[in-house]
Amino acid sequence: MSSDPSPQPAAATSPRPPTPPRFLDQLRKAARQRGHPDATAAAFTDCCRHFILFHGKRHPRDLGLAEVGQFLESVARTEKDPLRAIAASRDALDFLYREVLHLNLGELPCPRPPRLLDQVRRVLRVRHYALRPETCYFQWITRFILFHGKRHPRDMGAAEIEQFLTHLAVNGRVSASTQNQAFHALLFLYQQVLEIDLGRIDAVRARRPKRLPVVLAAAEVAAVLEHVDGADGVFRLMARLLYGCGLRLLECCQLRVKDVNLARGQIVVRGGKGNKDRVVMLPRSVRGDLERQLEWRRRLHERDLARGVARVELPHALERKYPRAAQGTRSAAHPPGWGSSRRSCCPSRGCLTWRRGLVTVCSR
């Protein structure tokens, strides 16, 4: 009787090689390693996914500057807010090629939006106009187009501008400064956006009268400051700085922690009227209150850092160059001293950030 054959040992299965991470996962990981928040990393990934799908799932390494330009032109034609979409797409593709693929494509193209008003916004931002002049010029150009029955400004000229300015002066009875504001907005539209020479414009133009300023006595100023209330004393502190330092309203609201030097008793005004810097003296009577306000702002920022929601609005391309600075704790990246207790959306970039805040309420 034959014995049963002994069981053969099972063949050892070789371990599978680790699956390499997907390209978009590498992009998301690289964005987080460079200090970008999760929302920005997700936006970069989503934009690059659309870029790859737009070119038939070709690898971005096989695409060049011409393909990037085609994609950005498609974004400019299809998005509801083309300026913001173009800026976000350029940032994402610049990060993709520069930081992930380590390829230098040079300056990425910036297509012109098809709508006229979007072109106006683009030229204003290229020339680094502030948000308030941008909004003001946009409104005056819109009123000019509606006044002439939605005709395109390219089909109009100096005669239509004269009619509009005359209407403002005669029927609208606007002040001289308001009419001049409308005139400069239309001049910007034709000279900088449409690149059309208007020649001489003869319209009913109001002249700004010369008025003597009203100067309050020291006792009257003190009485006014005593009646300023709101925001747990912040409005009174801001009003005292406006008077004691000679600051404009926006200059005071846009102060950052790094611009206040308590040791020297100075405040550095960055980018004031005419985009000029200057140094003003800090009154001794407000130093104590200002130190308490800065300490409150520091604690608020540290709490937001712990929650992962701390973010500041940085000018121009500094956020792309130093992505960690928008969330950092160093003095150069600190948020402004008058931050609101609530987060809101940045009007130019669309991301949640701490507003410089309180401009409208404080002006009242």
Side-chain angles (χ1 to χ4, degrees):
M1 184 174 179
S2 61
S3 60
D4 295 335
S6 58
Q8 298 293 329
T13 58
S14 59
R16 292 183 178 181
T19 304
R22 298 173 57 207
F23 177 73
L24 293 178
D25 294 335
Q26 297 178 18
L27 172 67
R28 185 182 291 105
K29 181 180 178 182
R32 290 172 178 171
Q33 289 176 347
R34 300 301 191 281
H36 293 285
D38 292 341
T40 304
F44 282 3
T45 306
D46 189 60
C47 175
C48 293
R49 180 186 296 110
H50 285 88
F51 175 62
I52 294 171
L53 294 175
F54 179 81
H55 289 290
K57 298 184 179 181
R58 294 170 60 188
H59 197 282
R61 190 178 286 108
D62 302 329
L63 305 175
L65 204 59
E67 289 77 11
V68 172
Q70 294 173 7
F71 174 71
L72 293 177
E73 288 177 359
S74 173
V75 170
R77 291 192 306 268
T78 57
E79 294 293 332
K80 293 183 179 179
D81 190 352
L83 287 182
R84 185 175 296 174
I86 290 172
S89 301
R90 292 180 80 244
D91 290 344
L93 295 178
D94 180 71
F95 180 84
L96 168 67
Y97 281 95
R98 181 168 45 87
E99 300 292 343
V100 181
L101 298 177
H102 304 288
L103 297 176
N104 184 14
L105 296 183
E107 182 69 20
L108 299 184
C110 187
R112 203 170 192 179
R115 295 177 64 243
L116 175 65
L117 295 178
D118 291 328
Q119 295 177 23
V120 172
R121 287 191 186 276
R122 176 179 176 272
V123 176
L124 284 166
R125 293 178 184 180
V126 166
R127 283 162 174 75
H128 299 293
Y129 276 67
L131 181 62
R132 285 197 168 188
E134 175 185 322
T135 306
C136 178
Y137 278 24
F138 190 86
Q139 291 174 351
W140 279 120
I141 293 171
T142 304
R143 288 182 61 177
F144 172 68
I145 295 174
L146 294 177
F147 177 78
H148 288 289
K150 297 185 180 180
R151 294 170 57 192
H152 197 283
R154 197 178 296 276
D155 302 330
M156 298 184 285
E160 286 77 10
I161 294 179
E162 292 174 5
Q163 295 175 14
F164 180 65
L165 295 178
T166 303
H167 166 74
L168 292 178
V170 177
N171 300 330
R173 302 180 64 183
V174 300
S175 64
S177 58
T178 302
Q179 192 194 37
N180 289 331
Q181 191 180 75
F183 172 71
H184 288 295
L186 298 178
L187 204 62
F188 178 87
L189 168 66
Y190 278 90
Q191 291 183 349
Q192 305 297 332
V193 182
L194 300 178
E195 299 179 353
I196 296 176
D197 185 12
L198 293 173
R200 181 180 177 84
I201 298 178
D202 296 322
V204 177
R205 298 286 305 279
R207 293 186 179 182
R208 180 181 298 178
K210 295 182 179 180
R211 305 291 187 188
L212 293 177
V214 178
V215 181
L216 300 180
E220 295 173 329
V221 173
V224 171
L225 293 178
E226 286 297 324
H227 286 81
V228 177
D229 195 12
D232 297 329
V234 175
F235 290 159
R236 179 177 297 180
L237 176 59
M238 296 176 71
R240 292 165 66 189
L241 284 176
L242 290 172
Y243 174 72
C245 302
L247 301 178
R248 298 178 178 89
L249 177 62
L250 281 180
E251 291 173 349
C252 181
C253 293
Q254 293 173 356
L255 277 181
R256 293 181 180 265
V257 175
K258 66 183 183 64
D259 298 330
V260 180
N261 193 330
L262 295 174
R264 292 187 175 183
Q266 294 178 345
I267 290 179
V268 181
V269 180
R270 304 286 184 184
K273 190 172 183 179
N275 200 23
K276 297 178 181 179
D277 297 348
R278 72 179 191 276
V279 179
V280 297
M281 304 305 297
L282 179 64
R284 294 181 181 177
S285 59
V286 301
R287 291 189 186 182
D289 295 336
L290 188 57
E291 286 180 356
R292 286 188 289 272
Q293 172 66 21
L294 295 179
E295 177 63 22
W296 171 83
R297 196 65 183 87
R298 184 188 63 80
R299 293 196 305 268
L300 182 63
H301 187 60
E302 290 178 352
R303 187 191 68 184
D304 296 331
L305 281 174
R307 295 169 54 194
V309 296
R311 193 162 190 82
V312 225
E313 179 187 354
L314 296 181
H316 308 310
L318 284 179
E319 186 172 355
R320 186 170 69 248
K321 187 175 182 180
Y322 306 111
R324 296 182 186 275
Q327 305 151 283
T329 56
R330 293 179 297 179
S331 60
H334 263 195
W338 323 113
S340 171
S341 58
R342 294 179 296 178
R343 299 170 69 225
S344 58
C345 186
C346 173
S348 59
R349 292 178 174 84
C351 59
L352 284 176
T353 181
W354 282 106
R355 290 284 296 172
R356 295 171 183 174
L358 311 178
V359 180
T360 306
V361 183
C362 183
S363 62
R364 294 173 182 173

